[in-house]
Amino acid sequence: MELQTQIHDIQKRIQDSAAKAGRNPSDVFLLAVTKTKTVDQIQKAYDAGLKDFGENRVQEALEKMPLLPWDARWHLIGQLQTNKINKTLGRFVLIHSIDSVELAQRVSNRQVEHTQDVLLEVNTSGEASKSGVDPASALAAAKAISQMPHLKLKGLMTVGPLTDDRQKQREAFKKLKELFDKMKSERWGGDSFSVLSMGMSGDFEMAIEEGSTLVRVGSAIFGARV
């Protein structure tokens, strides 16, 4: 199936999932995950109308950026190592993977000329293999991050549990939505606190039903990762 057809198929599935949940499809944003994908593949996705691309590794993203259109918007969705913070300055429109208050503070401290938009990553599945703050400490972490001078807390992110148990997947998304609503009501991120990043190729439809505003889709667009 051609890439443009794949993208249209994903967009249709997003629309259908939003409609099923009684939501406006325009409230759900599609982020194309381009880790390990070639510049040519990303260019084709750009030509098909996508402008936002998510990378797991800082170095891989930096190598691709100058080879693609200037107005492509890059997101860092993978774990951010502290020795790579300087390389992110001014390069990513959104860092999805702030997984601790300590990391947030280090990013804020390095930001001199920019204010970096970030998401707080929450480990809603409780899996030891996953990064993110514990849900029980997420409220305090969000409050702390929202007060840091060079960061703007835009919302929350989670990675669904690695399981075939659909109920466990749904519970993880519900948990993040509850935290998101709580934080939004307390306005810790201000009016810009609006991003709920959850759902990937295998579970984005369920995530949309549970309130996701941003889905991170890679293999369903580009094919299996190599």
Side-chain angles (χ1 to χ4, degrees), residues 20-31:
K20 181 179 178 181
R23 301 180 59 199
N24 187 335
S26 65
D27 291 338
V28 183
F29 187 83
L30 173 61
L31 175 64

Side-chain angles (χ1 to χ4, degrees), residues 171-187:
E171 287 171 359
F173 294 144
K174 283 180 180 292
K175 187 176 295 184
L176 194 71
K177 180 61 160 62
E178 290 170 1
L179 287 169
F180 179 78
D181 289 343
K182 173 72 171 173
M183 294 175 192
K184 195 171 180 65
S185 69
E186 297 188 7
R187 300 176 63 82

